[in-house]
Amino acid sequence: MKRYSSLLLVALFSGATTLGGYKLLFETDFGKKSIITSAPENYNRTVGMGAENIDFTAAAENAVHTVVHVKNVSVRTVYNPIMQFFYGSNGGGQQQEQIGTGSGVIISEDGYIVTNNHVIKDATELEVTLNNKKVYKAKLIGTDSKMDIALLKIDSEDKLPYSTFADSDQVKVGEWVLAVGNPYNLTSTVTAGIVSAKARNLDTNGIQSFIQTDAAVNPGNSGGALVNTRGELIGINTMISSPTGSYAGYSFAIPSNITRKIIEDIMEFGNVQRGALGIVGNEINGQISKELGIKDTQGYYISKVLKNSGAEKAGLRKGDVILKLDSQTITSFPELSGYISTKRPNDRINVTILREGKNMVIPVMLVKNDLINTDFKGLELENIDAADKRRYKIDYGVKIKEVTNDRLKPYEDELSGSIILTIDGIKATDVESVSKLANDKHENQGVSIEMINKIGQIIRIII
């Protein structure tokens, strides 16, 4: 009997080993490189517990070793106005070195670091100091200026402590969090607070879905970590709301799910792949609900479906009210845009809508955001169609759909409908190429634009 029991155990162990080997060999995606480490799914919360009942020390100990000090060295030319008066543009320009500082978070043991794009902007040299005071030169891997994220890399012989990514969608308002960074060059500073709000829209041109917290964040904290009470990363601290420039009550972080998606895009594609639903609309509230004659007071009302978008192809239409994206309830535009920001072109999402009093679930495949429209220097652009090509006898260009730049508003009638041919001598072949060109340009850098206006004249402007 003992012999049969032994044979049975051996058989079971052999079967488990074979099944495990099969999963390792055939179900692992070896082709996809990931530097991200995710936190366990059993996400422990501290809701309902006072600060006196929570031990912050373990989270702080974990986080401070993964947060680094980032020094940005840049060079700019300063001109003497008197010398310029006498000698013109050749008059007395001097090179001056400028130093900026911020924070970053180590996300892999081999030295990848995430920070804010504004921390490293225009850098000619980047230097990273770890919590143990070791100093490294850093290499810029990639940036996303729109979402204010940058990825750096340092080379170290040692395996580095790193932060694991928690699911920021699971973060709850009222949950205790820690902000870790280097404000005012004070290294390894930890402050505590709660999540004050989620999906906060600050009307920025980029991200529109911040985590709001009352943990103290000051200049120098940018790029640092917002962590939960287990020390897991739930956001990258990026800005404060303050009349003085220093902490005055609230700070804002880019959610970890959005950060993770941007980093993975940079690693896999070299740039950020933006998926787009392709709708325009308004948040539902009591007044709008009454005007539309619907019972729901939450959701997102579709007022327009963009051409060639995933929404149009899937059959979404004006008058639909979006209630959910997959399992995510949608009550505001920041929630909608925040969820879409975690997706790529060709990702399929299930959109739950209210249409004529009935709930429906419609699968939608997202398309490239750049293929629908893009913004460049306050000009909203779209691809030209076949009629434009025939009319102006051209085979490339992008059309100015709308003028949002206040300085250009007086010329809106002349500019709207014009077709941009080149930007700084580079062909504006399509919306995607212009979007990529925009990422390479400094925000305040002037550009020369050649375009055809609505009456067929070639004009050139500098903006």
Side-chain angles (χ1 to χ4, degrees):
M1 185 67 183
K2 290 182 179 179
R3 182 184 175 196
Y4 288 120
S5 299
S6 299
L7 288 173
L8 179 60
L9 288 172
V10 170
L12 289 172
F13 179 78
S14 300
T17 303
T18 303
L19 180 59
Y22 174 84
K23 291 183 73 62
L24 179 64
L25 289 172
F26 297 103
E27 293 187 16
T28 301
D29 185 0
F30 289 102
K32 186 175 181 179
K33 181 181 179 182
S34 178
I35 60 173
I36 305 295
T37 302
S38 298
E41 291 185 4
N42 57 331
Y43 186 86
N44 290 343
R45 301 193 217 291
T46 56
V47 176
M49 296 178 64
E52 67 276 6
N53 296 320
I54 304 171
D55 185 359
F56 292 99
T57 58
E61 176 67 18
N62 289 338
V64 293
H65 296 298
T66 69
V67 175
V68 302
H69 181 269
V70 179
K71 185 169 80 171
N72 169 353
V73 179
S74 60
V75 177
R76 71 169 184 168
T77 303
V78 178
Y79 292 96
N80 185 323
I82 297 176
M83 296 293 288
Q84 278 193 301
F85 177 79
F86 286 105
Y87 299 103
S89 59
N90 296 322
Q94 291 185 333
Q95 299 285 307
Q96 282 191 357
E97 188 177 87
Q98 291 186 317
I99 295 177
T101 60
S103 304
V105 184
I106 305 172
I107 57 172
S108 70
E109 65 180 14
D110 57 345
Y112 282 97
I113 296 169
V114 63
T115 184
N116 287 141
N117 180 68
H118 75 260
V119 169
I120 56 85
K121 192 174 183 180
D122 301 325
T124 55
E125 182 182 323
L126 290 168
E127 186 179 276
V128 167
T129 303
L130 306 189
N131 190 54
N132 61 12
K133 305 299 188 294
K134 288 187 177 181
V135 180
Y136 299 89
K137 296 294 183 183
K139 177 184 177 183
L140 179 62
I141 302 300
T143 67
D144 180 13
S145 58
K146 183 174 182 179
M147 294 297 186
D148 199 17
I149 288 292
L151 183 64
L152 311 180
K153 177 71 166 64
I154 62 174
D155 294 322
S156 171
E157 295 178 356
D158 304 320
K159 291 185 177 180
L160 301 175
Y162 59 92
S163 186
T164 58
F165 278 65
D167 182 357
S168 55
D169 287 342
Q170 300 302 314
V171 174
K172 301 296 183 184
V173 174
E175 183 175 339
W176 283 101
V177 291
L178 301 178
V180 187
N182 304 280
Y184 304 118
N185 284 323
L186 301 172
T187 58
S188 304
T189 298
V190 180
T191 57
I194 62 168
V195 174
S196 306
K198 292 179 63 180
R200 180 67 78 198
N201 186 357
L202 301 180
D203 293 323
T204 63
N205 291 326
I207 181 175
Q208 296 172 318
S209 185
F210 291 94
I211 296 174
Q212 179 181 319
T213 175
D214 64 355
V217 170
N218 280 293
N221 270 111
S222 290
L226 187 69
V227 302
N228 59 26
T229 53
R230 292 169 56 184
E232 299 158 347
L233 190 68
I234 62 170
I236 299 296
N237 297 316
T238 189
M239 67 173 62
I240 59 177
S241 178
S242 167
T244 64
S246 297
Y247 176 72
Y250 295 111
S251 55
F252 303 90
I254 302 169
S256 58
N257 286 2
I258 294 177
T259 303
R260 174 177 182 157
K261 186 262 181 184
I262 291 169
I263 292 167
E264 290 178 340
D265 280 358
I266 291 172
M267 290 296 297
E268 188 171 348
F269 304 103
N271 54 37
V272 179
Q273 306 289 299
R274 304 194 196 283
L277 189 57
I279 59 168
V280 177
N282 304 96
E283 298 175 10
I284 296 289
N285 56 34
Q287 182 179 349
I288 293 177
S289 176
K290 186 177 181 180
E291 291 174 358
L292 297 174
I294 58 178
K295 295 181 180 179
D296 288 79
T297 57
Q298 291 185 325
Y300 193 79
Y301 175 78
I302 300 176
S303 60
K304 182 180 180 181
V305 177
L306 301 179
K307 289 184 178 180
N308 302 318
S309 67
E312 182 188 54
K313 294 173 183 176
L316 293 181
R317 61 195 193 208
K318 180 180 179 180
D320 291 341
V321 176
I322 297 177
L323 304 176
K324 283 186 178 182
L325 298 179
D326 292 329
S327 60
Q328 181 80 26
T329 300
I330 301 300
T331 62
S332 65
F333 176 71
E335 288 178 341
L336 185 146
S337 64
Y339 189 78
I340 295 297
S341 294
T342 66
K343 301 298 179 181
R344 297 188 178 100
N346 300 323
D347 280 354
R348 191 178 296 273
I349 62 174
N350 289 318
V351 181
T352 302
I353 63 168
L354 175 68
R355 178 184 291 175
E356 297 175 353
K358 296 181 180 179
N359 284 9
M360 302 172 60
V361 178
I362 299 179
V364 178
M365 181 177 288
L366 303 180
V367 300
K368 268 194 173 184
N369 183 56
D370 294 341
L371 297 179
I372 298 174
N373 57 57
T374 194
D375 184 88
F376 181 75
K377 296 286 186 179
L379 301 174
E380 187 176 341
L381 308 175
E382 62 183 357
N383 289 321
I384 59 175
D385 56 24
D388 290 324
K389 291 179 180 179
R390 287 194 301 268
R391 179 182 175 186
Y392 297 106
K393 297 180 181 178
I394 56 177
D395 58 4
Y396 70 93
V398 292
K399 181 184 285 187
I400 299 175
K401 182 181 179 182
E402 186 179 350
V403 177
T404 58
N405 186 326
D406 289 337
R407 292 191 300 106
L408 298 176
K409 275 289 184 181
Y411 313 101
E412 185 170 11
D413 290 341
E414 292 88 344
L415 292 173
S416 294
S418 296
I419 295 174
I420 296 176
L421 299 176
T422 66
I423 299 174
D424 282 344
I426 300 173
K427 283 186 176 182
T429 54
D430 52 31
V431 172
E432 186 175 11
S433 67
V434 172
S435 179
K436 289 179 180 177
L437 182 63
N439 289 334
D440 297 332
K441 296 290 182 183
H442 189 281
E443 185 178 356
N444 298 319
Q445 181 181 353
V447 295
S448 173
I449 294 178
E450 181 184 69
M451 65 178 72
I452 301 177
N453 64 16
K454 287 178 285 191
I455 60 175
Q457 295 174 325
I458 299 288
I459 59 176
R460 294 172 180 84
I461 63 172
I462 295 177
I463 60 173

